[in-house]
Amino acid sequence: MASTWIAYTELAWTEDLLAVPASYEDEVKVYVDLINRTASHPPRTLLHLGCGAGGCDHIFKRYFEVTGADISRGMLDKARVAHPDIEYLEEDMRTLRLNRQFDSVAIPDSIDYMASEDDLRRAVQTAAVHLRPEGVLLVVAKMAETFQNNNFAYTGENEDVHVTLLENNYINPFRPNTYEAALVYLIRNRGELSVYTECQVLGLFPQAVWEAVFKEVGFEMDTTTLDGVYDNYLLGEGAYPMTVFMGKKVRQ
């Protein structure tokens, strides 16, 4: 099932202005270090699920042989241009089956799109199927216990185009285990303003759910917090704590 969200189809091009490769550097180096420290043996290969436009892969490919998968053709087109040396597949992380195994699997930016426990379980199962025994899974997520409503602003421009993206994160009490990301794009092309809006409903689960899913699928799990990554984009008071779940596939 291809993505129909405008952020990842007709507005995928804005990624070039809003998220330059250098902005991923410190964050992804943390992920690389966690993968290496969790692994029993030095990992050589990595499957990147929900790879988007390949922003993280600028750093991942320095350390691993990377294969990427995403459901958004618009984002994959950008990833393939940026990284012609990486194999990118238009696939859903809930159903992907490559009949191959990797030393590590990373979902650093897109697990939120699993908006139900069943979707979450299927994504983690996909990771398990593609990992060698004692292979390492890294997932970056928000936990219900620590997540809060927030507002963000991102901007970028080139000679003719200026883009501002406003993002409102809201925990809707009438939609359990989810939060809403409402996006407003203000795009000025040679001074002419266009406005685009979109609301994405994303998954937000308590730690007990994460622990149960990892155990059921066959992972030993550890957690660490990741703070401050998006602080520069926060509007007003707030915090955006994230949790990194590290899983090691249990040897059968």
Side-chain angles (χ1 to χ4, degrees):
M1 181 179 67
S3 171
T4 58
W5 281 325
I6 62 169
Y8 307 129
T9 52
E10 62 186 282
L11 297 183
W13 63 269
T14 63
E15 186 84 0
D16 289 338
L17 302 183
L18 298 175
V20 297
S23 66
Y24 293 92
E25 187 85 19
D26 293 341
E27 177 185 353
V28 180
K29 283 184 176 179
V30 171
Y31 304 153
V32 171
D33 181 60
L34 286 169
I35 291 170
N36 285 326
R37 286 198 283 119
T38 304
S40 300
H41 307 285
R44 183 180 60 84
T45 56
L46 181 140
L47 176 61
H48 183 183
L49 298 177
C51 62
C56 292
D57 295 333
H58 287 277
I59 295 87
F60 276 145
K61 72 180 186 180
R62 299 177 197 165
Y63 303 91
F64 311 112
E65 179 185 320
V66 177
T67 299
D70 202 282
I71 64 171
S72 169
R73 186 172 302 172
M75 300 300 270
L76 286 172
D77 287 345
K78 297 184 63 55
R80 288 170 177 142
V81 170
H83 307 289
D85 51 331
I86 292 178
E87 178 187 15
Y88 285 109
L89 306 167
E90 186 178 344
E91 296 281 356
D92 189 323
M93 72 172 74
R94 293 166 292 190
T95 57
L96 172 67
R97 294 296 183 270
L98 296 178
N99 296 315
R100 292 152 54 189
Q101 290 190 316
F102 299 78
D103 300 320
S104 55
V105 174
I107 315 177
D109 197 39
S110 54
I111 200 67
D112 289 5
Y113 298 107
M114 303 299 102
S116 70
E117 287 188 36
D118 182 61
D119 283 347
L120 178 63
R121 187 174 295 104
R122 292 169 69 192
V124 175
Q125 181 64 51
T126 293
V129 165
H130 291 90
L131 278 172
R132 298 186 175 95
E134 298 189 346
V136 173
L137 169 63
L138 176 143
V139 180
V140 183
K142 294 88 178 174
M143 279 205 303
E145 289 89 343
T146 57
F147 191 72
Q148 59 186 268
N149 297 337
N150 275 307
N151 296 295
F152 297 86
Y154 310 86
T155 63
E157 62 184 324
N158 60 25
E159 290 183 0
D160 297 324
V161 179
H162 184 281
V163 178
T164 295
L165 169 59
L166 304 174
E167 177 180 346
N168 167 252
N169 292 164
Y170 175 71
I171 303 170
N172 189 332
F174 301 100
R175 287 180 169 172
N177 292 328
T178 66
Y179 74 98
E180 296 172 1
L183 309 177
V184 179
Y185 286 84
L186 306 174
I187 300 176
R188 289 178 170 86
N189 190 341
R190 294 182 177 271
E192 295 296 323
L193 175 65
S194 299
V195 180
Y196 301 84
T197 63
E198 178 163 75
C199 184
Q200 302 173 354
V201 178
L202 308 172
L204 183 65
F205 306 103
Q207 183 164 351
V209 169
W210 286 97
E211 292 175 350
V213 168
F214 268 58
K215 183 177 180 180
E216 176 186 334
V217 173
F219 284 106
E220 298 173 350
M221 191 181 81
D222 197 7
T223 63
T224 186
T225 58
L226 184 68
D227 298 328
V229 173
Y230 294 99
D231 285 1
N232 290 339
Y233 307 106
L234 274 168
L235 297 176
E237 298 294 325
Y240 198 65
M242 296 188 293
T243 299
V244 184
F245 295 95
M246 299 301 304
K248 180 180 286 188
K249 184 176 178 180
V250 176
R251 183 180 289 275
Q252 303 295 323

